[in-house]
Amino acid sequence: MKTRFAYAVAMLSLIVLQGPASAADLAAEPTVTPTQIVEDRWNFSVTPYFWMAGLGGETASGDDISMPFNQVIKNLSFAVMTSIAAEKGRFGVYSDLIYMNLEGSKTTTAKIVRRTFDAKLDATIQGFITTNALGYKIVDTPGTAIAGFGGFRYLWLNTDLDFSLGNFNASASGQGQVIDAVVGLRGETKFADRWSVGYYGDIGTGQSDVTWQLFGAIGYEIKNVDLFAGYRYIGWRFDDVAGLDALDVHGPVLGARFKF
């Protein structure tokens, strides 16, 4: 009987001693949080948008081109505008694509030898713009994410320009392209439960003297879709590309970002 009692006491003591060790072992096992799951996989977004952009610029001969949005949309033949992003942890890949086919005109008056003439410039412009970059988040908090990036912007232009001054008429057409390296920052900050502010800026050079882009928007989240409205500006300064020395595209933007 004593032997059985001693054996039971020994077993009970062993269980008591092992209990805390087992609990510690369980506590030491790694746990996976939802944030870690998101960071360990690729997250994609596709953003179709409508850019209510007007055009401005200068021809190689010094004539001014100005086409506000109401002229652009009236003469818009075709447009495709979308952005794509893929992110994993702090790393990201970004691409933006724009294609437009449009035309417009500007009429002014000019005085030559004390006589007034009607001057008119008609412009038809086809353009393809793409900006592509690799980024790394330098700020990554629950409320704010800011990524620095580097990449390139490519511009292809095809222009037909017709100029008339009184009885004098001239026309020119050309095609050209430029590619430039760009660097910049892009980010998003939440300021309410579903509301956020997005911002973007880049600058670069290469075949252009300089190119730059600025963008700001307010977004509203609905499940996996973000609706946004903002303003965007892209500019170039170059030397006689498709008959142009300068090109500016700017205006309000409306769009939706689909996340998956």
Side-chain angles (χ1 to χ4, degrees):
M1 179 66 70
K2 291 182 178 181
T3 301
R4 292 181 178 178
F5 179 75
Y7 178 76
V9 170
M11 291 297 294
L12 181 61
S13 300
L14 183 61
I15 293 172
V16 171
L17 290 173
Q18 283 186 338
S22 300
D25 290 341
L26 289 173
E29 292 183 2
T31 58
V32 179
T33 65
T35 302
Q36 289 173 321
I37 293 174
V38 171
E39 291 182 349
D40 289 340
R41 68 176 179 85
W42 283 100
N43 299 282
F44 300 91
S45 64
V46 177
T47 309
Y49 59 90
F50 180 51
W51 191 8
M52 295 170 279
L55 292 181
E58 184 178 303
T59 69
S61 59
D63 298 307
D64 178 65
I65 294 177
S66 178
M67 282 185 278
F69 172 69
N70 61 340
Q71 281 188 320
V72 171
I73 192 62
K74 182 174 63 176
N75 298 293
L76 186 64
S77 300
F78 183 71
V80 175
M81 305 174 187
T82 188
S83 292
I84 301 171
E87 295 179 317
K88 183 177 182 181
R90 288 181 175 265
F91 293 93
V93 181
Y94 313 105
S95 182
D96 182 72
L97 305 169
I98 303 169
Y99 174 77
M100 290 188 294
N101 185 349
L102 50 91
E103 61 184 60
S105 62
K106 180 179 182 179
T107 301
T108 60
T109 57
K111 282 189 176 182
I112 301 176
V113 194
R114 298 182 180 180
R115 293 183 60 185
T116 300
F117 295 87
D118 290 330
K120 185 177 181 181
L121 177 66
D122 295 315
T124 300
I125 297 177
Q126 287 179 291
F128 174 75
I129 306 166
T130 179
T131 304
N132 303 276
L134 299 175
Y136 181 81
K137 289 181 183 177
I138 55 179
V139 176
D140 190 13
T141 68
T144 298
I146 301 175
F149 63 85
F152 70 92
R153 177 151 53 246
Y154 172 79
L155 167 68
W156 173 84
L157 280 176
N158 184 42
T159 62
D160 289 300
L161 307 174
D162 295 305
F163 179 77
S164 61
L165 177 60
N167 294 323
F168 173 78
N169 295 283
S171 62
S173 61
Q175 187 178 116
Q177 57 188 356
V178 291
I179 185 168
D180 302 290
V182 296
V183 295
L185 295 172
R186 55 183 294 149
E188 186 174 343
T189 298
K190 293 184 177 180
F191 62 88
D193 184 29
R194 294 180 178 270
W195 293 91
S196 63
V197 176
Y199 35 88
Y200 176 105
D202 71 37
I203 189 168
T205 187
Q207 293 181 321
S208 300
D209 295 333
V210 65
T211 180
W212 67 95
Q213 180 174 190
L214 295 172
F215 170 75
I218 295 178
Y220 182 78
E221 182 179 12
I222 305 175
K223 293 186 178 180
N224 292 326
V225 179
D226 294 333
L227 305 178
F228 65 89
Y231 196 90
R232 185 181 191 183
Y233 188 109
I234 306 180
W236 289 265
R237 297 296 179 266
F238 31 55
D239 183 20
D240 195 5
V241 175
L244 299 177
D245 278 351
L247 178 65
D248 299 292
V249 188
H250 53 89
V253 179
L254 296 174
R257 179 175 59 181
F258 299 87
K259 300 175 290 186
F260 54 94

